[in-house]
Amino acid sequence: MNFLDVRTIIVGHIVTDAVCTVVLVALWIQNRKRFAGTGHWLGDFVLQTAAPALVVVRGSVPDWLSMTFANTLAILGGVVGYIGLTRFAGKKSAQVHNYVLLAVFAAVHAYFVYIRPNLAARNIEMALALFIICFQCVWLILRRVEHSMRRLMREVGLVFGIFCLVSLIRIVVIPITPPSGNDFFQSGLYDTLVLLS
C-alpha cells in the first residue's frame, strides 16, 4: 500500500510551480531588457504549471487532454526552458531535434494511451524525453558556455545533472518493477517518490 497520495503530491507540485511562475513574472518584468531568455523561463513555468493541473483533473476532462496533451506540455516546457538557457548564455542552438522529439513524444505517448495502454511504457518515454532535455541543459552549462558564465550557472547544471540521474534510474527501474496497472493515480511508492524528487 502506498501511504503517499499521488493526486495530493501533484497538487503540491502545482502550487509550487504556480509560486515559481509568479516569481518569474516579477523577474521577467524587472530583467527582460537586461537578460535574454527570461521570457522563455516564464513560459516554461507556465507550461510546467498547466501540465500537472491537467493531469490532476483526469476524469473530469477528456483523456487526450489530461494524458497526452498534459505530458506533451511538460516536455514542451522543458524545451522552452532549454531555449531560455541558451539565450541567457548567449549561445545559438538549432532546435529542430527538440521539435522532432516533441512530435515523436506526443505520437508515442498517444499510442501507449489509446492503442496499447501501457503506463510503464509512458513512464519510460517521459523519463527518456526528460533525460534528453536535461542532458542538453547540462551540456550547455558545463561544456558550451564560457568559463566565467559556467561558474555563474554551475549549480543550475548540477540540478539538471540530478534530473538526468533520476531519469536514468527510472529508465532502468521501471522494466524491472513495472507498475501493476495502468492507473497513474495508483502508482507504487517508487513512482510517487520520483514525483516528489
Side-chain angles (χ1 to χ4, degrees), residues 132-167:
I132 291 168
I133 294 166
C134 291
F135 184 80
Q136 291 177 78
C137 295
V138 170
W139 187 260
L140 169 73
I141 293 167
L142 299 181
R143 301 307 257 162
R144 290 184 57 209
V145 300
E146 287 75 27
H147 186 69
S148 60
M149 180 69 80
R150 196 174 302 154
R151 284 193 324 229
L152 175 69
M153 299 175 73
R154 185 177 22 225
E155 287 79 15
V156 175
L158 177 63
V159 169
F160 279 113
I162 292 169
F163 284 149
C164 286
L165 181 62
V166 168
S167 293

Side-chain angles (χ1 to χ4, degrees), residues 20-94:
C20 289
T21 302
V22 169
V23 170
L24 278 168
V25 166
L27 290 173
W28 176 76
I29 289 169
Q30 292 172 1
N31 298 300
R32 68 183 179 271
K33 293 183 174 149
R34 291 179 35 200
F35 299 109
T38 57
H40 286 83
W41 296 341
L42 174 58
D44 176 15
F45 269 89
V46 167
L47 293 168
Q48 297 300 342
T49 305
L54 288 172
V55 169
V56 85
V57 296
R58 185 170 299 158
S60 302
V61 297
D63 284 348
W64 68 267
L65 192 59
S66 70
M67 295 169 98
T68 306
F69 185 70
N71 286 296
T72 303
L73 280 183
I75 299 303
L76 175 61
V79 170
V80 170
Y82 171 67
I83 293 169
L85 276 177
T86 61
R87 293 195 176 174
F88 179 78
K91 296 292 179 184
K92 293 201 182 260
S93 186

Side-chain angles (χ1 to χ4, degrees), residues 111-131:
Y111 174 81
F112 286 118
V113 168
Y114 303 108
I115 297 171
R116 190 170 167 220
N118 187 325
L119 179 59
R122 292 193 311 263
N123 287 345
I124 290 170
E125 178 201 21
M126 183 65 127
L128 181 60
L130 289 173
F131 172 79

